[in-house]
């Protein structure tokens, strides 16, 4: 994820992240949970949802709404938005249900339930006293479009989080649907489980669509633009260059298909990544005015395909929608991703050296001015779901990215210019992949084993603890001068042979 942080009158773009479809067979239909969402009736800004479950037993006697969602690091408590929750038997007679906690509905005699009906309010326009959900992670229903993030519309029956899901959407004929979800042979959207639904946002309405193939990857772009200022075909070229840059950085694109969902209306809030898609919420403007910041954020969101998708701990792998459980590795999921997004644009020439240096300076300034310098990246990870911790969360895009940049220099230095951070990341992605999580508690040790003994002290100083960052000393190693008084970077005009060797690898150009 990457959200846009508004501090005083300055708005800084920061970014957010997270999942898994196919044809149904008759066997699966027995187990499928079927949802129907009536978007023809948008009265009261609520989604009218009908759930047709498979046969239920006592073990399934709770209908669960999400407390949070992967990659958001925020408490959502979706149960807050639920209205008129009803369970009905096959004769349409209402059965008893009780809301036993914010996100849980107890079902009496679940074996008699033929369907569940409820309304759920959009998160954008529904006032709440705390834990306001980021726009890109929430829902919006308007006259000419709607945004669905799965965890904010759908729930699951206890012990059926892993059941396949089908979705029927009823919407006006002229609307276009943008989603990474595929349809099954019955023309219903299909997902292999609840996690996949949460990982697959749906933007529908008065959209434009453009498609392309980039080095074997099918890319779809859907855009809602309030007054039509931005069209998908305009955005296409910028996304193509960003993806080519990512391909050079990662030695090929790691997904076979990818969907971009853009929403340009009245507010800017940032973006949320998924396994095969990402969605962006920005205030509508001409594309030329939005391009630079949106491309940088798109680079960030796309890089999440590497981490956490291909490199993550068991906490991300077996996501707990009931109780938020923090991972200690936001330095990797978000910090490294933020570093990588700027670095890949820099190395491919889509971002100039000067602009790269300005990005570093800005992160240093925001880190020191707006965040608590005593909170380490590990603390920040472990407290992101608390009120105090959430205030520090934005620093993962500042200090987290700066630390990843220093780690890159340290690795280049230790390997004599042979193996920088992206080389380590590419190796880790190959070794782990989407189905093999690492152990959250011991990954620092693993990372040291896969690199150099000296990395243990680096992790201890700058990730586990919040020691002052050795910016000047590290950048000097690669022939980049840092002036802490003016907070500016420049290339050393007469670097030593050693500095030049490391700098050449550090800047290693990617050919588009
Ligand atoms: Zn992110």
């Amino acid at each position: 994820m990457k959200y846009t942080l508004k501090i005083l009158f300055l708005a800084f773009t920061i970014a957010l992240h997270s999942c898994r479809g196919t044809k149904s067979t008759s066997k699966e239909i027995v187990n499928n949970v079927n949802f129907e969402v009536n978007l023809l009736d948008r009265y009261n800004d609520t989604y009218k949802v009908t759930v047709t479950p498979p046969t239920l037993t006592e073990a399934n006697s709770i209908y669960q709404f999400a407390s949070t969602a992967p990659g958001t690091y925020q408490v959502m408590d979706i149960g807050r938005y639920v209205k008129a929750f009803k369970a009905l038997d096959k004769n349409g007679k209402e059965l008893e249900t009780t809301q036993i906690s914010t996100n849980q509905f107890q079902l009496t005699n679940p074996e008699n339930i033929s369907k569940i009906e409820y309304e759920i309010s959009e998160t954008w326009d529904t006032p709440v006293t705390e834990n306001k959900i980021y726009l890109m992670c929430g829902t919006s229903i308007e006259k000419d479009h709607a945004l669905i993030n799965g965890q904010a519309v759908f729930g699951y029956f206890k012990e059926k989080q892993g059941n396949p899901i089908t979705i029927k959407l009823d919407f006006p004929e002229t609307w276009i649907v943008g989603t990474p979800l595929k349809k099954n042979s019955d023309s219903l959207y299909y997902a292999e489980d609840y996690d996949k639904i949460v990982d697959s946002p749906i933007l529908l309405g008065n959209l434009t669509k453009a498609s392309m193939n980039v080095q074997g990857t099918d890319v779809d772009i859907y855009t809602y633009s309030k007054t039509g200022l931005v069209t998908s075909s305009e955005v296409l070229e910028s996304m193509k260059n960003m993806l080519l840059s990512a391909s050079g950085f990662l030695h090929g694109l790691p997904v076979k298909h990818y969907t971009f969902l853009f929403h340009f209306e009245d507010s800017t809030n940032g973006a949320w990544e998924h396994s095969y898609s990402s969605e962006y919420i920005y205030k509508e403007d001409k594309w030329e005015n939005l391009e630079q910041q949106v491309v940088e954020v798109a680079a960030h969101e796309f890089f999440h395909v590497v981490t956490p998708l291909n490199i993550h701990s068991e906490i991300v792998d077996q996501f707990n929608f009931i109780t938020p459980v923090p991972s200690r590795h936001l330095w990797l999921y978000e910090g490294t991703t933020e570093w990588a997004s700027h670095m890949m644009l820099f190395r491919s020439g889509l971002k100039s050296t000067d602009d790269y240096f300005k990005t570093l300076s800005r992160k240093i300034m925001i880190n020191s001015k707006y965040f608590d310098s005593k909170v380490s990246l590990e603390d920040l990870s472990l407290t992101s779901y608390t009120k105090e911790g959430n205030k520090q969360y934005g620093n993962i895009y500042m200090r987290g990215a700066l630390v990843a940049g220093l780690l890159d220099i340290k690795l280049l230095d230790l390997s004599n210019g042979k193996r920088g951070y992206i080389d380590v990341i590419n190796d880790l992605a190959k070794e782990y992949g989407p189905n093999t999580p690492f152990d959250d508690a011991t990954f620092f040790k693993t990372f040291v084993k896969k690199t150099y003994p000296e990395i243990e002290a680096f992790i201890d100083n700058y990730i586990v603890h919040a020691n002052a960052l050795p910016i000047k000393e590290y950048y000097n190693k690669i022939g980049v001068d840092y002036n802490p008084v003016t907070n500016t970077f420049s290339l050393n005009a007469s670097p030593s042979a050693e500095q030049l060797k490391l700098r050449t690898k550090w800047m290693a150009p990617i050919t588009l």
Side-chain angles (χ1 to χ4, degrees):
M1 174 169 103
K2 176 138 175 163
Y3 70 86
T4 297
L5 185 67
K6 284 188 179 156
I7 302 170
L8 302 175
F9 298 103
L10 300 170
F12 300 105
T13 304
I14 311 177
L16 287 191
H17 76 188
S18 147
C19 234
R20 307 160 246 208
T22 51
K23 290 201 163 182
S24 67
T25 65
S26 54
K27 215 177 186 183
E28 282 168 342
I29 287 166
V30 176
N31 289 317
N32 281 2
V33 179
N34 302 287
F35 289 97
E36 182 166 0
V37 184
N38 182 1
L39 287 162
L40 293 166
D41 178 1
R42 299 189 290 287
Y43 176 71
N44 230 357
D45 287 359
T46 62
Y47 296 81
K48 281 80 180 171
V49 182
T50 304
V51 192
T52 311
T55 305
L56 301 174
T57 68
E58 228 13 74
N60 317 121
S61 65
I62 288 175
Y63 190 83
Q64 177 78 44
F65 288 97
S67 67
T68 183
T72 66
Y73 314 108
Q74 75 162 181
V75 173
M76 295 185 168
D77 282 343
I78 296 300
R80 295 182 292 171
Y81 301 89
V82 178
K83 291 176 179 174
F85 187 93
K86 275 195 282 197
L88 303 166
D89 72 8
K90 62 179 193 306
N91 301 317
K93 185 172 159 259
E94 195 170 337
L95 301 165
E96 192 185 338
T97 60
T98 316
Q99 189 167 7
I100 53 170
S101 67
T102 305
N103 300 314
Q104 294 179 317
F105 286 81
Q106 175 93 48
L107 312 170
T108 309
N109 300 328
E111 58 280 6
N112 294 338
I113 293 175
S114 155
K115 62 182 177 180
I116 301 267
E117 291 177 353
Y118 59 89
E119 289 184 33
I120 187 161
S121 301
E122 68 162 293
T123 66
W124 283 30
D125 293 344
T126 305
V128 285
T129 52
E130 60 174 4
N131 298 327
K132 171 86 183 157
I133 295 175
Y134 300 121
L135 300 183
M136 56 282 192
C137 308
T139 49
S140 175
I141 300 190
E142 299 298 329
K143 210 170 134 204
D144 62 349
H145 73 286
L147 171 67
I148 294 177
N149 271 298
Q151 89 289 349
V153 174
F154 308 112
Y156 63 90
F157 295 93
K158 186 179 177 187
E159 296 200 359
K160 295 213 174 281
Q161 185 182 344
N163 280 46
I165 287 173
T166 54
I167 300 176
K168 181 173 187 282
L169 295 172
D170 308 314
F171 54 85
E173 253 171 29
T174 56
W175 284 20
I176 290 174
V177 182
T179 178
L181 289 173
K182 307 288 179 209
K183 284 185 175 173
N184 68 10
S185 47
D186 301 323
S187 289
L188 301 172
Y189 288 102
Y190 175 85
E192 66 207 22
D193 55 26
Y194 181 75
D195 296 46
K196 175 80 178 175
I197 287 294
V198 176
D199 195 32
S200 309
I202 307 169
L203 176 66
L204 67 170
N206 184 11
L207 315 181
T208 56
K209 181 188 179 188
S211 301
M212 63 184 160
N213 187 286
V214 181
Q215 296 184 344
T217 300
D218 288 323
V219 178
D220 291 320
I221 297 173
Y222 295 90
T223 304
Y224 171 76
S225 177
K226 185 185 176 183
T227 69
L229 265 184
V230 187
T231 62
S232 290
S233 52
E234 266 182 294
V235 178
L236 186 97
E237 194 66 19
S238 315
M239 291 305 121
K240 183 178 175 187
N241 286 333
M242 183 281 286
L243 290 168
L244 290 171
S245 165
S247 176
F249 204 45
L250 302 169
H251 309 304
L253 293 173
V255 286
K256 283 275 155 247
H257 64 92
Y258 199 82
T259 304
F260 290 97
L261 303 176
F262 291 105
H263 183 280
F264 300 115
E265 200 181 19
D266 300 330
S267 304
T268 290
N269 202 197
W272 188 21
E273 77 287 4
H274 301 281
S275 304
Y276 297 98
S277 65
S278 45
E279 65 206 74
Y280 302 78
I281 309 294
Y282 282 83
K283 190 172 188 314
E284 192 189 43
D285 199 343
K286 286 185 191 148
W287 178 241
E288 63 199 67
N289 299 334
L290 292 166
E291 184 178 8
Q292 195 195 347
Q293 63 168 327
V294 175
V295 166
E296 287 189 356
V297 173
H300 174 109
E301 304 311 336
F302 187 76
F303 192 86
H304 276 305
V305 170
V306 177
T307 187
L309 179 63
N310 279 283
I311 316 172
H312 57 248
S313 82
E314 76 282 359
I315 291 170
V316 174
D317 200 60
Q318 295 133 34
F319 195 78
N320 187 336
F321 287 97
I322 303 172
T323 310
V325 180
S327 162
R328 72 192 70 224
H329 298 294
L330 290 195
W331 68 278
L332 174 67
Y333 311 146
E334 292 297 339
T336 296
T337 296
E338 178 65 4
W339 162 77
S341 63
H342 293 283
M343 188 46 105
M344 74 192 203
L345 295 174
F346 167 52
R347 288 190 184 165
S348 58
L350 295 176
K351 187 167 178 126
S352 68
T353 308
D354 220 33
D355 283 345
Y356 188 77
F357 287 161
K358 279 185 190 145
T359 298
L360 292 177
S361 299
R362 198 184 62 183
K363 289 186 186 303
I364 291 169
M365 184 275 288
I366 302 174
N367 166 61
S368 63
K369 204 167 174 180
Y370 299 105
F371 293 104
D372 184 347
S373 61
K374 289 188 222 57
V375 178
S376 77
L377 296 180
E378 187 184 47
D379 294 339
L380 193 158
S381 299
L382 293 173
T383 60
S384 68
Y385 290 112
T386 67
K387 265 203 183 88
E388 277 311 302
N390 193 260
K391 285 184 199 152
Q392 299 301 320
Y393 172 76
N395 205 17
I396 200 67
Y397 305 111
M398 309 302 157
R399 186 179 167 91
L402 292 167
V403 166
L406 295 179
L407 182 55
D408 183 39
I409 294 170
K410 184 80 182 169
L411 290 167
L412 285 170
D413 190 23
L414 290 168
S415 67
N416 203 17
K418 290 198 173 63
R419 192 167 177 243
Y421 193 18
I422 191 58
D423 305 308
V424 173
I425 289 289
N426 282 332
D427 288 348
L428 288 170
K430 243 186 249 151
E431 183 179 336
Y432 288 98
N435 304 315
T436 313
F438 60 72
D439 178 39
D440 206 85
T442 59
F443 184 65
F444 286 137
K445 281 197 180 120
T446 308
F447 192 89
V448 171
K449 259 190 222 148
K450 291 181 187 307
T451 54
Y452 300 91
E454 290 87 341
I455 297 300
E456 188 177 356
F458 182 95
I459 291 173
D460 193 57
N461 285 329
Y462 310 119
I463 298 176
V464 177
H465 294 100
N467 291 346
L469 300 181
I471 305 270
K472 190 175 165 68
E473 176 198 336
Y474 273 49
Y475 279 88
N476 180 59
K477 288 178 202 285
I478 57 166
V480 171
D481 296 328
Y482 175 61
N483 181 338
V485 178
T486 55
N487 183 23
T488 49
F489 291 82
S490 57
L491 290 177
N492 185 328
S494 46
S496 68
E498 181 64 15
Q499 285 173 320
L500 189 61
K501 185 175 71 185
L502 294 187
R503 190 165 84 189
T504 305
K505 175 71 180 178
W506 178 75
M507 298 178 83
I510 295 166
T511 312
L512 295 188

